[in-house]
Amino acid sequence: FISRSRLSVKFKQETGEKLVDFILKEKVTEAKRLLRYTDKPVSAISAYLGFSSQSHLTHVFKKYAGCLPNEYRKRHER
């Protein structure tokens, strides 16, 4: 029983990282796995991971992975 804001503050104190950044990095890690090992479209991956839109996933993915989701998939084709 802790508020969202209190959880964020506590998380930052304990880890030195913002909670939102941690969550987004984890989502990008899962998106990478899905891009590598499935043929699901980016739009489906975006919805599955709870992003508001495919463009939001693309923006976040580029920020944390350094490339676009489709570029990542092409580089890691099976």
Side-chain angles (χ1 to χ4, degrees):
F1 300 106
I2 186 171
S3 70
R4 237 185 251 194
S5 58
R6 182 72 185 129
L7 176 62
S8 292
V9 168
K10 199 77 173 138
F11 190 88
K12 173 85 171 171
Q13 288 173 343
E14 295 292 323
T15 66
E17 178 178 31
K18 290 182 182 179
L19 180 58
V20 68
D21 289 332
F22 173 79
I23 292 168
L24 291 175
K25 282 190 224 172
E26 291 297 312
K27 286 184 175 189
V28 168
T29 297
E30 181 63 6
K32 287 178 178 180
R33 188 187 69 75
L34 292 167
L35 289 164
R36 283 182 87 159
Y37 301 112
T38 73
D39 55 359
K40 290 181 186 227
V42 176
S43 59
I45 293 171
S46 172
Y48 174 74
L49 294 175
F51 284 94
S52 58
S53 66
Q54 180 178 336
S55 63
H56 186 219
L57 167 62
T58 299
H59 175 77
V60 170
F61 195 93
K62 182 156 175 72
K63 178 179 178 180
Y64 291 101
C67 64
L68 299 174
N70 288 329
E71 292 170 349
Y72 182 86
R73 177 172 267 162
K74 284 180 185 171
R75 278 192 224 148
H76 297 91
E77 282 181 328
R78 297 176 255 149

